[in-house]
């Protein structure tokens, strides 16, 4: 590695050359003057010298001359690098002394490295670079030339010194002007400025501080702690702050001050210390700002936030009343709403069927803390009111007694109740509009209803709407139970009358009103009713729904019900069975592909998600989705965008996702077969679909539905189902759920040849006795056994007492039990 000696009395120049040369791959040795450089030359092997000219002890010229006199150093390339001796005469003198090259500062690093590389490459290992032949000078000639250049530089230096003195005088004038400007600037600052010495004595106060405090500058300067404008109780705190600032801590704090007039205000401070040239703290300063108005605004914001939090709490509390008694719920709603909005009167009104009248169902008065029932109002006299409500859903009227929308209510309603401002919101229902919730301000003043008030009132109206619908559904369910009870009683009577006709349980379709269809679903059980309640809650939203349940429980029907009762029902429901699509085609099926994106892609194809834009996509068997596809479904759920196979851009889509699975996804996550983050995205609103064995009371309804369906399909006239058969069907566990039941009823419909349904494996005792004689055991024990079974079935397996089997058979109970034991007759157990 080549070594370069760099000589300069200025550290920054040495450091810069050192960095440039070492980055270029050279070793460097440093010297601060010519004498030190000669010592370095004697101790080290040097390949190139770069030297400044103007240096103490021995300058560059003298150093160059000394190098050229010594045999060991005369052939080392010598480069001058100067910012002082830059004239042409200086360069010529340098070259006459034997310098190889002459550079003027500043020179870019690339030029320096190229020159060094060139000079070192020209010098072979065996020969040193020979400078051009130059005339030799005697020492006297060199000294004479050097003296001339030195005198010229001294004259130039003297001239520069005179210019520097002139510049300093000009700088002093500018400094004086700057000080005056700074003083004016300080005095004109919008924020107050306070400067105190280390003891706390005020030595400076600007105009803004004087205006804030109400004192003159003369009154403030010279004041010591405690200040007359500060609270006496804050003295220790102020002394502590002063000591901390002196130590170098920049303090930001607030204090309560008094103006000269005695008015109290909050002052905000930002402090620091002032240092002299030696770095010693000589004073401290603080900017002062009156933040009383800001504190008031902050307090208002905090109060607003608290009110908003209270509104959310009340909305959640009221939402939990769903399913409770409607009248009691209205009491709670009106009371809490009045308290939150601080409104004197809150009432709920219902429309008459033709919307010509409204009747007050519940009225709460805040002042008296009382609930009352109001009267009725004829709406025919004020068509403007109904028109405005139907158009805007909400009306906010500041001056109700004189506004065109409500003024016709003034004489009979507003003025007698001293109501000056109103805010009314429509309450919707599944059958149109249920009524109105009214917020009424009472008093001599007018109230401006804010957008936040309207948002809260709208939320309350939605809760009332849900409660009304829940109450209607609850009443319908109660009616259903009552009808079910009455029908059960009627069926029992029919069974008694038709014991001679095989003890059949008649399910007369034309008279049965147990079936409650909700989007093509047949049910009557509380378990499935609860499922549909959840469906009704989530359907109007855009939330992702996860349907969990065994195969054959009707998850696809529920998905269709959610879509059909949502706001997206005018757009398509696209169904995708994740287990039925080949792994290599599933991305194309879901997101589509571009022509030529893979072998066989002869045309552009629109994916299922894009087909469902604006509507719903149903991902059935989501647990079967390959792991490498799961991140792409997750991206859509997070960002709402897809990337077509072979495409270059993302597409934003508005698609609601409903997923279904019969797998335990948590177990799949543990097995690393399903992504946990995708599970959480899909599991926003999970709905557990109960298996058929947990809704056994629905089995008769479903059988009726399927018998009716297959009667039409196969031109049958099946009307009756034996009671024993029905009991057997209800006690069976149905591992295949509704799908298994449907297939069984279809098979039975095909096999049945009369009006009684014959279900293989579930035949009644009487049906079994009707088998062809060639297939029956005609022994006496068998006939006796069948007869006893028939009587026991008729008595519902009651042996003793009135209407018991022993009475009908004219046997003692003990004798009957012995015969049952002998004939192997056991009471069927419920499963």
């Amino acid at each position: 590695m080549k070594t370069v000696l760099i000589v300069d009395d200025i550290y920054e120049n040495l450091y810069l050359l050192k960095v440039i040369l070492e980055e270029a791959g050279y070793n460097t040795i440093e010297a601060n003057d010519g004498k030190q450089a000669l010592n370095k030359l004697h101790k080290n092997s040097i390949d190139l010298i770069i030297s400044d000219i103007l240096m103490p002890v021995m300058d560059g010229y003298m150093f160059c001359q000394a190098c050229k006199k010594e045999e060991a150093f005369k052939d080392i390339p010598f480069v001058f690098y100067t910012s002082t001796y830059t004239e042409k005469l200086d360069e010529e003198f340098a070259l006459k002394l034997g310098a190889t090259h002459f550079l003027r500062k500043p020179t870019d690093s690339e030029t320096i490295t190229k020159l060094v590389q060139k000079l070192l490459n020209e010098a072979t290992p065996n020969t040193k670079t020979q400078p051009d032949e130059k005339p030799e000078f005697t020492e006297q000639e060199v000294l004479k030339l050097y003296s001339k250049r030195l005198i010229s530089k001294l004259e130039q230096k003297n001239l520069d010194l005179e210019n520097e003195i002139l510049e300093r005088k000009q700088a002093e004038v500018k400094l004086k002007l700057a000080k005056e400007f700074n003083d004016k600037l300080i005095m004109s600052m919008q924020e107050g400025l306070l400067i105190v010495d280390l003891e706390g004595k005020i030595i400076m106060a600007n105009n803004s501080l004087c205006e804030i405090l109400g004192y003159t500058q003369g009154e403030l300067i010279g004041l010591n702690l405690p200040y007359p404008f500060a609270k006496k109780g804050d003295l220790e705190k102020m002394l502590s702050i002063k000591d901390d600032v002196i130590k170098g801590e920049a303090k930001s704090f607030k204090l309560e001050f008094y103006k000269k007039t005695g008015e109290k205000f909050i002052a905000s401070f930002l402090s620091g210390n002032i240092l002299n040239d030696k770095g010693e703290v000589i004073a401290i300063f603080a900017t002062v700002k009156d933040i009383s108005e800001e504190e008031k605004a902050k307090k208002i914001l905090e109060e607003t936030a608290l009110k908003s939090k209270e509104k959310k709490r009340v909305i959640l509390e009221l939402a939990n009343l769903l399913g409770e008694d409607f009248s009691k719920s209205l009491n709670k709603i009106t009371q809490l709403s009045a308290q939150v909005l601080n409104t004197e009167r809150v009432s709920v009104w219902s429309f008459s069927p033709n919307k010509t009248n409204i009747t007050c169902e519940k009225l709460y008065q805040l002042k008296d803390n009382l609930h009352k029932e109001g009267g009725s109002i004829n709406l025919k006299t004020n068509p403007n009111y109904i028109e405005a409500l139907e158009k805007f859903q909400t009306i906010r009227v500041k001056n109700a007694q004189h506004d065109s929308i409500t003024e016709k209510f003034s004489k009979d309603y507003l003025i007698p109740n001293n109501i000056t401002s109103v805010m009314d919101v429509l309450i919707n229902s599944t059958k149109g509009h249920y009524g109105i919730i009214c917020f009424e301000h009472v008093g001599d003043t007018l109230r401006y209803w804010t957008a936040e008030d309207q948002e809260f009132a709208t939320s309350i109206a939605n809760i009332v709407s849900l409660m009304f619908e829940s109450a209607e559904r609850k009443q319908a369910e109660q009616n259903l139970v009552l009808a079910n009870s009455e029908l059960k009683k009627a069926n029992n009577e029919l069974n008694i009358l038709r014991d001679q006709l095989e003890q059949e349980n008649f399910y007369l379709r034309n008279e049965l009103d147990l079936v409650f269809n909700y989007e093509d679903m047949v049910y009557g059980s509380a378990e499935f009713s609860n499922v549909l309640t959840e469906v009704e809650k989530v359907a109007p939203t855009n939330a992702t729904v996860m349907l969990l349940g065994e195969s054959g429980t009707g998850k696809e029907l529920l998905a269709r019900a959610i879509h059909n009762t949502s706001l997206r029902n005018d757009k398509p429901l696209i169904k995708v069975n994740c287990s039925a699509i080949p792994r290599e085609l599933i991305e194309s099926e879901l997101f589509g592909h571009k022509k030529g994106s893979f072998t066989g892609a002869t045309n552009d194809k629109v994916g299922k998600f894009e087909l469902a834009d604006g509507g719903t996509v149903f991902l059935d068997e989501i647990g079967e989705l390959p792991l490498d596809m799961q991140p792409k479904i997750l991206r859509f759920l997070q960002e709402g965008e897809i990337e077509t196979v072979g495409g270059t851009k993302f597409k934003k889509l508005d698609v609601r996702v409903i997923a279904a699975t019969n797998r335990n996804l948590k177990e799949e996550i543990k097995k690393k077969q399903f992504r946990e983050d995708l599970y959480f995205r899909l599991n926003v609103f999970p709905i557990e679909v109960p298996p058929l064995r947990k809704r056994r009371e629905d089995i008769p309804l479903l059988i009726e539905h399927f018998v009716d369906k297959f009667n039409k399909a196969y031109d049958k006239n099946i009307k009756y189902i034996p009671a024993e058969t029905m009991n057997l069907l209800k006690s069976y566990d149905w591992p295949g759920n509704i799908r298994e039941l449907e297939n069984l009823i279809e098979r039975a419909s095909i096999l049945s040849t009369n009006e009684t349904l014959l279900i293989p494996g579930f035949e009644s005792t009487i049906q079994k006795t009707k088998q062809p004689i060639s297939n029956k055991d005609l022994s006496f024990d068998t006939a006796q056994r069948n007869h006893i079974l028939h009587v026991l079935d008729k008595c519902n397996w009651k042996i003793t007492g009135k209407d018991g089997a022993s009475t009908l058979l004219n046997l003692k109970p003990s004798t009957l039990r012995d015969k049952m034991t002998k004939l192997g007759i056991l009471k069927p157990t419920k499963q």
Side-chain angles (χ1 to χ4, degrees), residues 496-738:
I496 294 171
L497 293 173
R498 299 189 183 187
D499 273 339
Q500 292 81 13
L501 299 174
E502 301 181 334
Q503 287 277 309
E504 293 175 356
N505 181 14
F506 298 98
Y507 289 81
L508 303 175
R509 294 170 187 76
N510 296 332
E511 296 176 12
L512 188 63
D513 195 26
L514 277 172
V515 178
F516 182 85
N517 286 321
Y518 181 91
E519 292 296 323
D520 297 329
M521 283 172 281
V522 179
Y523 76 99
S525 63
E527 288 83 357
F528 206 75
S529 177
N530 292 335
V531 170
L532 294 184
T533 299
E534 293 185 7
V535 168
E536 288 177 346
K537 288 179 182 178
V538 77
T541 71
N542 286 323
T544 302
V545 179
M546 173 75 86
L547 299 174
L548 305 167
E550 299 175 7
S551 294
T553 53
K555 296 189 289 296
E556 184 177 335
L557 278 178
L558 285 172
R560 186 185 299 122
I562 293 171
H563 173 75
N564 289 348
T565 55
S566 72
L567 300 177
R568 300 170 175 266
N569 57 13
D570 58 339
K571 296 292 183 178
L573 168 66
I574 303 299
K575 293 175 285 185
V576 181
N577 189 325
C578 298
S579 64
I581 304 173
R583 183 188 188 93
E584 61 273 10
L585 296 179
I586 191 165
E587 184 175 4
S588 170
E589 284 293 317
L590 293 177
F591 303 128
H593 64 250
K594 292 291 184 181
K595 180 180 178 181
S597 57
F598 54 86
T599 304
T602 56
N603 293 296
D604 287 354
K605 178 179 179 179
V606 178
K608 303 293 188 186
F609 272 85
E610 195 169 352
L611 286 172
D613 193 18
T616 307
V617 67
F618 174 48
L619 301 177
D620 198 8
E621 302 298 345
I622 189 71
E624 308 292 337
L625 192 68
L627 264 175
D628 54 356
M629 271 303 299
Q630 293 178 20
K632 297 177 181 179
I633 300 294
L634 177 63
R635 177 182 177 83
F636 173 77
L637 292 171
Q638 290 175 331
E639 309 295 339
E641 60 186 24
I642 63 166
E643 183 179 13
T644 305
V645 178
T648 57
K649 295 180 181 179
F650 287 101
K651 291 183 180 179
K652 279 281 186 183
L653 298 178
D654 175 24
V655 179
R656 182 187 194 169
V657 174
I658 302 173
T661 183
N662 58 7
R663 287 193 176 195
N664 186 333
L665 293 184
K666 290 184 179 178
E667 291 297 324
E668 295 298 309
I669 291 169
K670 290 178 182 178
K671 296 176 184 176
K672 306 296 183 184
Q673 297 298 316
F674 202 84
R675 291 177 64 104
E676 187 175 24
D677 48 3
L678 177 57
Y679 170 75
F680 288 131
R681 282 284 178 181
L682 290 170
N683 204 43
V684 174
F685 196 92
I687 296 177
E688 289 277 356
V689 185
L692 189 55
R693 62 182 172 275
K694 291 187 179 180
R695 41 183 292 214
R696 297 182 188 276
E697 56 266 49
D698 287 342
I699 292 174
L701 306 180
L702 291 165
I703 293 172
E704 284 298 313
H705 172 73
F706 292 138
V707 167
D708 185 57
K709 174 181 175 181
F710 297 125
N711 272 348
K712 295 174 183 176
Y714 300 125
D715 196 21
K716 296 283 185 173
N717 190 30
I718 299 169
K719 295 181 180 179
Y720 312 117
I721 305 168
E724 185 181 349
T725 297
M726 183 59 72
N727 289 333
L728 290 171
L729 291 168
K730 288 172 70 175
S731 63
Y732 180 58
D733 272 348
W734 300 104
N737 293 296
I738 299 171

Side-chain angles (χ1 to χ4, degrees), residues 468-484:
F468 175 67
E469 291 173 9
S470 176
E472 279 190 325
R473 186 170 61 251
K474 193 172 182 180
Q475 184 60 48
E477 289 171 356
Q478 289 174 352
N479 293 340
L480 187 64
V481 172
L482 182 60
N484 195 2

Side-chain angles (χ1 to χ4, degrees), residues 321 324-334 362 371:
L321 295 176
E324 302 293 331
D325 180 76
F326 185 58
S327 180
K328 291 181 181 177
S329 298
L330 287 184
N331 285 343
K332 192 78 170 175
I333 286 171
T334 51
K362 200 68 63 176
H371 283 95

Side-chain angles (χ1 to χ4, degrees), residues 96 115 221 371 376 445 487 520 557 571 808 822 827:
K96 285 178 181 179
L115 175 63
I221 292 176
H371 283 95
S376 297
T445 60
L487 285 170
D520 297 329
L557 278 178
K571 296 292 183 178
L808 293 176
K822 180 182 177 182
K827 183 178 181 180

Side-chain angles (χ1 to χ4, degrees), residues 288-337:
V288 186
K289 187 178 179 182
D290 183 354
I291 59 167
S292 299
E293 293 302 320
E294 291 179 15
E295 290 293 311
K296 288 179 184 176
K298 184 179 178 182
K299 190 173 181 181
I300 290 171
L301 284 174
E302 288 173 352
E303 289 174 354
T304 303
L306 284 173
K307 287 180 181 178
S308 178
K309 188 176 180 180
E310 178 64 12
K311 287 176 182 177
K312 290 178 182 176
R313 185 194 67 77
V314 167
I315 288 170
L316 288 174
E317 183 178 342
L318 295 178
N320 288 330
L321 295 176
L322 283 173
E324 302 293 331
D325 180 76
F326 185 58
S327 180
K328 291 181 181 177
S329 298
L330 287 184
N331 285 343
K332 192 78 170 175
I333 286 171
T334 51
Q335 180 179 355
L336 288 178
S337 300

